Amino acid sequence: MACINCKTHFEGQFCPSCGEKKDIQRITFGSIVENVFSGFVNMDKGLLFNIKNLTLNPQKTILQYINGKRRYVLSPISYAIITISIYIIITTLLKKTPDQLAESAARLSKLEQLNQYEQMGYKTGGVLIDKIKYFWLIQTIYLSFFSKLFFKRFNFFEHLAINSFIVGHATIVAIIVKIIFRGEIIVFNFLVFFYMIFLMYKVFAKENNKFETATMASLIVLFSYLLFMGLPFAIANYI
């Protein structure tokens, strides 16, 4: 038969050129639900494939993707977007604990004791801390800038893919921390940053430069975090 997608003539169940199935089923409500559900629970591809393989063997998974083995892997940008979206939903659904409410009241009391300019800076910082999670994906750009600067092995867009995997998978840790400990915003979960350093170290480490790689990975995460938090704060205060 001729492939409905690329018109290649073939025998068997799948097109050897593009991988399209021989038998094309009509789209129904059931097929939509099945495809969405399988994309989340299938351990052999998609979201759970990424979670499983990035946890067990991050270096192999990421480097194989960069080198072209991408068939069953959820793309890094999609992975980061999905995990960040899940994090935002969870932080929205989880109510503040009594300790967090008391802390908010203490901040409000402190705010009333400051002068006009100090109040402006304090409010700006509070807004940034509360809303910065919606822009967490931008962190991949800052990470990629510095990782390209320190590790010159790949081009910038390959670094962007690597760091999207890193940010996406570190966000899984943030989700776990949030659920168990009711932790604050993602950028203040130090466990998340240590995990980002660990993932970057695993990707770029070689036998003869482990300490150097760990140091550079730490600096990359630190510099990107300072830029991520400092730049909008500086702009907001300047405006």
Side-chain angles (χ1 to χ4, degrees):
M1 63 170 292
C3 174
I4 195 172
N5 185 48
C6 66
K7 308 304 180 183
T8 299
H9 290 270
F10 69 97
E11 296 181 358
Q13 294 298 317
F14 298 93
C15 173
S17 178
C18 68
E20 184 64 79
K21 289 183 179 180
K22 173 183 177 181
D23 300 319
I24 306 299
Q25 298 179 347
R26 296 190 63 181
I27 297 175
T28 64
F29 175 77
S31 67
I32 292 176
V33 172
E34 180 183 355
N35 288 334
V36 172
F37 187 72
S38 64
F40 280 94
V41 302
N42 192 337
M43 297 294 291
D44 295 323
K45 63 179 179 179
L47 180 63
L48 289 190
F49 177 89
N50 282 33
I51 294 175
K52 178 185 72 173
N53 287 277
L54 287 171
T55 300
L56 298 178
N57 201 333
Q59 183 185 50
K60 179 180 177 181
T61 303
I62 292 175
L63 292 182
Q64 282 187 343
Y65 183 88
I66 296 299
N67 291 325
K69 192 174 181 180
R70 304 167 186 171
R71 180 174 176 82
Y72 300 108
V73 182
L74 182 64
S75 70
I77 296 294
S78 298
Y79 184 55
I81 290 174
I82 290 174
T83 56
I84 292 170
S85 299
I86 294 173
Y87 178 84
I88 292 173
I89 292 171
I90 289 175
T91 55
T92 303
L93 293 177
L94 289 178
K95 297 180 179 179
K96 289 188 175 182
T97 64
D99 290 341
Q100 290 172 329
L101 292 172
E103 186 179 343
S104 298
R107 285 200 298 263
L108 182 61
S109 176
K110 181 178 180 180
L111 178 62
E112 294 172 349
Q113 301 173 13
L114 303 176
N115 62 43
Q116 178 181 358
Y117 295 103
E118 289 174 332
Q119 286 185 3
M120 185 179 301
Y122 199 80
K123 288 180 179 179
T124 301
V127 171
L128 287 174
I129 290 173
D130 186 50
K131 304 299 183 184
I132 204 74
K133 60 190 173 185
Y134 297 104
F135 303 96
W136 182 234
L137 188 64
I138 298 175
Q139 180 75 342
T140 60
I141 299 175
Y142 298 144
L143 282 169
S144 300
F145 172 79
F146 289 111
S147 65
K148 174 60 178 173
L149 193 64
F150 282 84
F151 302 112
K152 305 182 184 299
R153 180 177 173 186
F154 304 107
N155 65 43
F156 176 79
F157 294 102
E158 289 170 331
H159 277 275
L160 189 62
I162 291 170
N163 288 299
S164 295
F165 277 128
I166 290 174
V167 168
H169 205 55
T171 305
I172 296 292
V173 175
I175 292 170
I176 296 172
V177 171
K178 184 67 180 178
I179 293 174
I180 297 177
F181 302 106
R182 298 294 182 93
E184 284 294 336
I185 184 174
I186 188 171
V187 292
F188 295 130
N189 290 330
F190 289 104
L191 181 61
V192 175
F193 286 105
F194 283 124
Y195 194 58
M196 290 171 64
I197 293 170
F198 168 76
L199 289 174
M200 189 165 293
Y201 166 80
K202 292 295 290 183
V203 172
F204 293 104
K206 295 181 179 180
E207 288 296 328
N208 57 348
N209 66 348
K210 290 184 177 181
F211 178 78
E212 179 184 349
T213 304
T215 302
M216 289 193 293
S218 301
L219 291 175
I220 289 168
V221 174
L222 174 63
F223 291 158
S224 64
Y225 165 70
L226 293 176
L227 187 60
F228 178 72
M229 288 297 295
L231 185 61
F233 186 82
I235 294 174
N237 279 279
Y238 177 79
I239 294 174

